[in-house]
Amino acid sequence: MSNVLVSLVSDQTIPNVLFIKEMEKGSGDVRMYLFVSTEKMEGKGKTDFIIQGSHIEKSKTVVIKVVEDSIEDINSKLTEFTKEKLSDEDNLIVNLTGGTKIMSIGVYNFFTERTSTIYYLPIGKNIYKQIFPPSEHREHKLNVKISLKDYLTSYGVEIKSKDINKTLKGKKHTEHLFREFLNNKIDTEIIGKLRKKRNKKEIRLDEKTKSFLEKIKFDIEKEGSINKKDINYLTGGWLEEYGYNLVRGYIQLDDDKIGLNVHISHDKTQNEFDVMFIHENILYVIECKTALKDGEKNLLNDTLYKLSALKKDFGLNAEGYLFTLDDKLRDSKGEIKKDYENRSKLLGVTLVDRAILSDREELNKIFDRIKGDVKNV
């Protein structure tokens, strides 16, 4: 008996990728992968992204383009395909999670008339449910865990960074700078001057900057000067590494599940994210800012809008976090100001400010929520 896996294609590619990987682990070899798609989805390259993210042989795939709101067209195209490509020996495994509602209904009606097993992956849960034929044991744990690269590939995103697990300084050094920052021992005037020279390959150090670097125990590669990598680290890169190390400390992740300073290319647009990681097949993105103003530039709004686009570009389950050491987000009562709170909630971004980052108990709550976001029920 040969397996034929049927998938409905839509903008949300990850459910198909996860199900394909899961079935390959549990059901053995798949003879053919049938993708029921539309002209619009193929124009966006969605089936190709699923194939690439799943690492399946393209020679084993077949795409049927249907009219998304026509039961008649769906039935006609599937009938023709069945006559030409399927045999009575085929074991049909159908994933209804993608597509439009009409596509789901049409595919469900068609395959319930044949020997098949039909499944559905509920959004935000690491399970898949058998919906046909009826079964007493209808819920199954999703055992597959997708990598960051495969997740992004499934949405047509290419990682441009050479090494997304490389830090410039060690964990102890970022923790040291974090404490120095909280104790107001970071000279913001010097940092401001360095920030203006971030595009320089190398700059000479004046005595004041030398003294500051000695004070914070910052080692430089070349006596009397500082290079671009160190400038970027001092002007905010250290907090990105601190956030990266925090995640790795709280959530035990393999290298393939997390990245630092991830440069991506998506739909001919270049972008960079400070920290990206996958936990329980959900994508999390953290942007790290020591301050939310750079001169007249409002970094809060820019960062919130950048993070709010995650669900559009990386799936409905993608989560955005803003880590900031800015001390002006709270009012005299110690509460996050309503304006900031409302804006972040409206855009679906979790705001993690200085007060939370410096409070181990509050930080535990943040990571406990992440670790408990997906429950096997």
Side-chain angles (χ1 to χ4, degrees), residues 214-229:
E214 289 173 2
K215 183 181 176 182
I216 63 171
K217 300 176 183 178
F218 188 85
D219 295 326
I220 54 177
E221 292 182 9
K222 185 177 177 182
E223 183 68 28
S225 64
I226 188 170
N227 61 33
K228 186 176 181 177
K229 288 189 299 183

Side-chain angles (χ1 to χ4, degrees), residues 145-326:
K145 296 292 183 285
I146 197 167
S147 70
L148 177 60
K149 182 180 179 182
D150 284 349
Y151 187 104
L152 296 178
T153 298
S154 302
Y155 280 100
V157 178
E158 181 184 0
I159 297 177
K160 292 292 188 178
S161 311
K162 289 183 180 178
D163 187 349
I164 59 174
N165 298 114
K166 185 177 181 180
T167 57
L168 185 65
K169 300 287 184 180
K171 183 179 178 182
K172 286 184 178 179
H173 200 282
T174 61
E175 290 176 346
H176 168 68
L177 283 182
F178 180 74
R179 291 191 297 271
E180 294 286 278
F181 197 100
L182 292 182
N183 293 325
N184 298 313
K185 292 183 179 180
I186 300 294
D187 192 321
T188 54
E189 182 183 344
I190 290 176
I191 295 299
K193 288 179 180 179
L194 289 175
R195 185 170 280 115
K196 292 176 182 178
K197 299 178 181 180
R198 292 181 79 172
N199 293 323
K200 301 284 187 181
K201 288 184 179 180
E202 185 176 285
I203 62 170
R204 297 292 299 172
L205 293 173
D206 57 35
E207 289 303 319
K208 188 176 180 181
T209 306
K210 276 185 188 178
S211 175
F212 166 68
L213 295 181
E214 289 173 2
K215 183 181 176 182
I216 63 171
K217 300 176 183 178
F218 188 85
D219 295 326
I220 54 177
E221 292 182 9
K222 185 177 177 182
E223 183 68 28
S225 64
I226 188 170
N227 61 33
K228 186 176 181 177
K229 288 189 299 183
D230 284 341
I231 293 172
N232 286 335
Y233 180 85
L234 284 166
T235 56
W238 69 268
L239 183 58
E240 295 162 12
E241 292 194 14
Y242 183 79
Y244 173 83
N245 290 330
L246 269 183
V247 173
R248 299 211 75 155
Y250 275 91
I251 306 172
Q252 301 302 308
L253 297 172
D254 294 331
D255 282 353
D256 69 337
K257 302 292 194 302
I258 187 169
L260 170 69
N261 294 326
V262 185
H263 294 257
I264 66 166
S265 177
H266 180 229
D267 199 21
K268 298 180 181 179
T269 301
Q270 307 293 315
N271 214 330
E272 179 187 356
F273 293 97
D274 295 339
V275 182
M276 302 183 90
F277 67 96
I278 299 287
H279 179 61
E280 297 293 344
N281 298 320
I282 290 179
L283 175 69
Y284 295 86
V285 178
I286 302 173
E287 286 293 289
C288 304
K289 302 292 178 188
T290 53
L292 293 174
K293 272 205 169 183
D294 184 4
E296 296 300 316
K297 191 175 182 181
N298 189 326
L299 298 178
L300 175 63
N301 287 339
D302 291 350
T303 307
L304 287 178
Y305 284 118
K306 178 181 179 181
L307 289 170
S308 71
L310 293 176
K311 294 186 188 298
K312 173 179 173 291
D313 295 332
F314 304 124
L316 296 176
N317 279 336
E319 296 279 347
Y321 286 74
L322 171 56
F323 283 14
T324 179
L325 291 174
D326 199 301

Side-chain angles (χ1 to χ4, degrees), residues 81-106:
F81 167 80
T82 300
K83 288 178 181 178
E84 294 180 358
K85 302 286 186 180
L86 297 184
S87 74
D88 292 338
E89 299 300 313
D90 285 323
N91 176 40
L92 302 172
I93 304 170
V94 184
N95 176 14
L96 283 186
T97 312
T100 63
K101 290 180 179 179
I102 295 297
M103 286 169 66
S104 296
I105 294 170

